Amino acid sequence: MDLTRWVAVIGAGLSVWMWLPGDGITRLRPAVPVRLPTWAQPLPSAMGSRIRWWIGGVTALLVVAYGWGWSPGVVVVGPVIAAGVWVGLGRLEPAGTRSRRLQTLYELPRALDLVRACVRAGQPLRNAIETVAQAVGPPISNLFGTVSNALSVGMSEAQAWAVLKEDPVIGFVARDLTRSATWGTAVVDVLAQHSVDLRRQGRAAQLAAAKSVGVKSVLPLGLCYLPAFMLIGVVPVIAAGLSGLFR
């Protein structure tokens, strides 16, 4: 198959896939969802799956066309490149989103301790959430405010907490509080355990950030020291060689 036919086939496939309606894509998905490994799961704030597949397909098309050429190996190499781009883009997130997520991770344990203290003092959980939301600032007040707003429009506590079950930080807490509201288990124990777990995650995130400083500083330090190395180490050697040549 020559280059023109390859381009036509791939272009037609991408066009059909891009223009297929959302409900059609849903019908084409397998009945049993496929769970990806942790390293391949996209972050909640990453760009949409369809856009990532589109970028991956175009990247694979360009790389194969100008790198490997149009050979039978394209059948294997192309999908691998597209899948790699899809996974890589799924692990990227905007700097602002990452900053808010880390801030939530660092401040949420203290907020849960405050909620637990209010509950132990005799307040219902919904009143404790409202009290703590008024006492702390964003982003915790935004999360608790979402639950309070859901309760104010008539949702049950289980339904209100289920709104946050997909949040990357408070999602585990929300799912356990949903089960607690459904089955009547002790809320204080759930809050205490999650407070300990979130503090552990926060320390791990801080340690990872501290370790990454050395890696991120290599390029700036190299750019700073390179001119000095050239002026002190290379230029005198060249100057000495030229002076000896013209004597």
Side-chain angles (χ1 to χ4, degrees):
M1 186 179 290
D2 56 16
L3 175 60
T4 304
R5 293 181 180 179
W6 272 109
V7 173
V9 170
I10 296 176
L14 287 175
S15 300
V16 171
W17 182 79
M18 288 298 294
W19 287 104
L20 193 67
D23 55 350
I25 294 177
T26 302
R27 289 193 299 269
L28 291 175
R29 290 174 180 171
V32 179
V34 179
R35 185 168 182 83
L36 298 174
T38 304
W39 57 268
Q41 292 179 4
L43 297 174
S45 57
M47 64 179 65
S49 178
R50 295 184 67 183
I51 298 177
R52 287 185 280 123
W53 275 123
W54 185 82
I55 296 175
V58 172
T59 304
L61 179 64
L62 295 176
V63 171
V64 169
Y66 293 99
W68 279 274
W70 299 97
S71 61
V74 171
V75 178
V76 177
V77 176
V80 170
I81 296 176
V85 173
W86 184 86
V87 172
L89 292 177
R91 301 302 299 175
L92 299 177
E93 62 179 348
T97 302
R98 175 179 173 81
S99 177
R100 287 191 296 272
R101 179 171 58 82
L102 292 178
Q103 184 180 2
T104 303
L105 179 61
Y106 298 150
E107 296 182 4
L108 186 57
R110 181 173 62 89
L112 294 182
D113 288 342
L114 293 175
V115 173
R116 182 163 58 95
C118 292
V119 172
R120 294 185 65 178
Q123 287 190 3
L125 180 59
R126 62 174 62 197
N127 293 347
I129 291 297
E130 294 177 358
T131 301
V132 175
Q134 295 174 0
V136 300
I140 303 301
S141 59
N142 297 334
L143 295 175
F144 286 176
T146 301
V147 178
S148 298
N149 293 336
L151 291 171
S152 65
V153 298
M155 289 186 178
S156 64
E157 288 194 2
Q159 293 172 332
W161 282 107
V163 174
L164 297 176
K165 65 180 182 179
E166 300 299 331
D167 186 89
V169 179
I170 202 175
F172 295 100
V173 183
R175 285 192 286 271
D176 281 351
L177 289 177
T178 299
R179 287 191 289 267
S180 177
T182 302
W183 301 104
T185 56
V187 176
V188 175
D189 296 338
V190 173
L191 295 174
Q193 183 59 47
H194 279 291
S195 178
V196 174
D197 293 340
L198 287 169
R199 281 192 170 88
R200 186 182 301 112
Q201 294 179 22
R203 288 193 294 268
Q206 291 175 338
L207 182 60
K211 290 181 178 180
S212 66
V213 171
V215 178
K216 294 179 180 178
S217 63
V218 170
L219 182 59
L221 289 176
L223 294 176
C224 291
Y225 281 108
L226 183 59
F229 171 75
M230 296 294 295
L231 291 175
I232 298 176
V234 178
V235 172
V237 175
I238 297 177
L242 292 176
S243 63
L245 180 63
F246 289 104
R247 283 180 182 175

